[in-house]
Amino acid sequence: DAFTLLARSFAPSICGHEKVKQGLLLQMMGGTEKNLTNGTHLRGDINLLLVGDPSCGKSQMLRFVMNIAPLAISTTGRGSSGVGLTAAMVRDAATRDFTLEAGAMVLADRGFICIDEFDKMGINDRVSIHEAMEQQCVTVSKAGMHVQLNARCSVVAAANPIYGTFDPTLDLAKNIGMPDSLLSRFDLVFVVRDLTTEAIDRKIATQVLRQAGLRAGAEGRKHGVEQIHSSILERRQDVDTRRSQEATEIFQKSIPGPDGEPAPEVLTIDFLRKYLRYCRRLAPVMSEAAQAMVAEKYVD
């Protein structure tokens, strides 16, 4: 199954969380943006929220999205403000005139914005991104200026529950501590749990030991987890140094586990990036059977 292979190749250094990886994969493929004849704009970008227990790899998944996306801006909830995410009016010290400076969501137009520690953001700062997440534009009416900026970006946010760990006895809104108006802006919300069972712990230990054996090869290129989590500048320099005629490797080379079991097939990062870029060019049309199935699932 191609979708299962692509999801397994998404952040392969993180063990488990198959549903979360499938959601992130679909978000990177994106939806179909539509402009109706009556002037209505239907956004095609998908907003996704990860909430759950600490030390589950949420930040690493955000970093993987930032590394393989053509345009991605990373920020944190603690170090971000409302005007920093949308737009700010700044007075020039020399001319004393007001100038408009774009925020992170405007700079990430047609791209992705990764917001880590989303629960640490202030209440007033969260309100300012309501318009940008749903209408995909930022309206500024200050200092005699009325400007509307495009913010057509997909939001990937990660947050921790207000009680430290996720409490299954409470509903999702009480665990997150966010208003319903902001929670409804996210199309996909995933709960990441740290379930401690012997089978899961053994699987995590096997994957960690397998990744520990993947080091720099004889030619000096990085492999495995070192290649995935290298900085964007290093990856771009690595791509520029290769020959343009060189074919992209499809499957990543791996070593067997400590017990001798073969490693699952995983696509290379460069091939995954090219495949996602090709998927975003397509404009699929839903069939009547697919429309009936979606309507039935929505009613359920």
Side-chain angles (χ1 to χ4, degrees), residues 98-155:
F98 285 98
T99 58
L100 186 65
E101 293 188 358
M105 300 188 72
V106 179
L107 295 176
D109 187 35
R110 296 299 186 185
F112 296 84
I113 178 170
C114 304
I115 306 176
D116 200 2
E117 305 293 339
F118 192 69
D119 55 304
K120 306 298 190 300
M121 188 180 298
I123 299 178
N124 297 330
D125 299 331
R126 293 178 184 174
V127 173
S128 61
I129 66 175
H130 282 194
E131 180 190 12
M133 291 183 64
E134 185 61 35
Q135 305 300 328
Q136 292 195 315
C137 63
V138 175
T139 305
V140 180
S141 298
K142 294 181 180 179
M145 299 174 60
H146 182 76
V147 183
Q148 192 173 41
L149 305 175
N150 290 326
R152 298 161 296 184
C153 61
S154 299
V155 179

Side-chain angles (χ1 to χ4, degrees), residues 39-265:
T40 304
H41 172 72
L42 301 179
R43 62 181 174 91
D45 299 308
I46 302 174
N47 300 323
L48 187 142
L49 174 64
L50 300 177
V51 59
D53 301 334
S55 302
C56 287
K58 299 188 297 294
S59 300
Q60 295 296 338
M61 293 183 190
L62 264 64
R63 183 178 176 85
F64 188 87
V65 172
M66 185 178 61
N67 280 348
I68 68 174
L71 173 61
I73 294 179
S74 177
T75 182
T76 59
R78 178 71 70 178
S80 301
S81 61
V83 294
L85 291 174
T86 55
M89 299 294 297
V90 180
R91 183 188 291 271
D92 195 326
T95 61
R96 307 297 297 173
D97 294 334
F98 285 98
T99 58
L100 186 65
E101 293 188 358
M105 300 188 72
V106 179
L107 295 176
D109 187 35
R110 296 299 186 185
F112 296 84
I113 178 170
C114 304
I115 306 176
D116 200 2
E117 305 293 339
F118 192 69
D119 55 304
K120 306 298 190 300
M121 188 180 298
I123 299 178
N124 297 330
D125 299 331
R126 293 178 184 174
V127 173
S128 61
I129 66 175
H130 282 194
E131 180 190 12
M133 291 183 64
E134 185 61 35
Q135 305 300 328
Q136 292 195 315
C137 63
V138 175
T139 305
V140 180
S141 298
K142 294 181 180 179
M145 299 174 60
H146 182 76
V147 183
Q148 192 173 41
L149 305 175
N150 290 326
R152 298 161 296 184
C153 61
S154 299
V155 179
V156 193
N160 293 325
I162 57 177
Y163 300 108
T165 58
F166 191 84
D167 189 358
T169 60
L170 302 176
D171 56 1
L172 185 62
K174 292 182 180 179
N175 271 287
I176 301 177
M178 294 182 186
D180 295 336
S181 58
L182 179 60
L183 195 59
S184 63
R185 259 71 174 181
F186 289 99
D187 306 295
L188 298 175
V189 180
F190 290 100
V191 177
V192 184
R193 299 290 307 278
D194 185 12
L195 302 177
T196 56
T197 61
E198 183 179 356
I200 296 177
D201 293 343
R202 189 176 299 276
K203 186 178 179 180
I204 294 175
T206 302
Q207 183 161 350
V208 170
L209 292 175
R210 182 184 292 113
Q211 290 174 357
L214 296 176
R215 298 300 181 185
E219 65 276 12
R221 289 176 55 185
K222 295 181 179 180
H223 299 279
V225 67
E226 294 182 355
Q227 181 192 21
I228 295 169
H229 296 292
S230 59
S231 64
I232 299 177
L233 181 60
E234 291 178 354
R235 291 196 52 78
R236 289 178 179 174
Q237 291 176 351
D238 187 25
V239 172
D240 293 339
T241 54
R242 301 179 192 176
R243 295 178 302 176
S244 59
Q245 294 83 7
E246 183 181 355
T248 304
E249 295 183 2
I250 299 178
F251 294 101
Q252 180 177 319
K253 297 179 181 179
S254 58
I255 61 176
D259 296 334
E261 71 274 7
E265 290 184 338

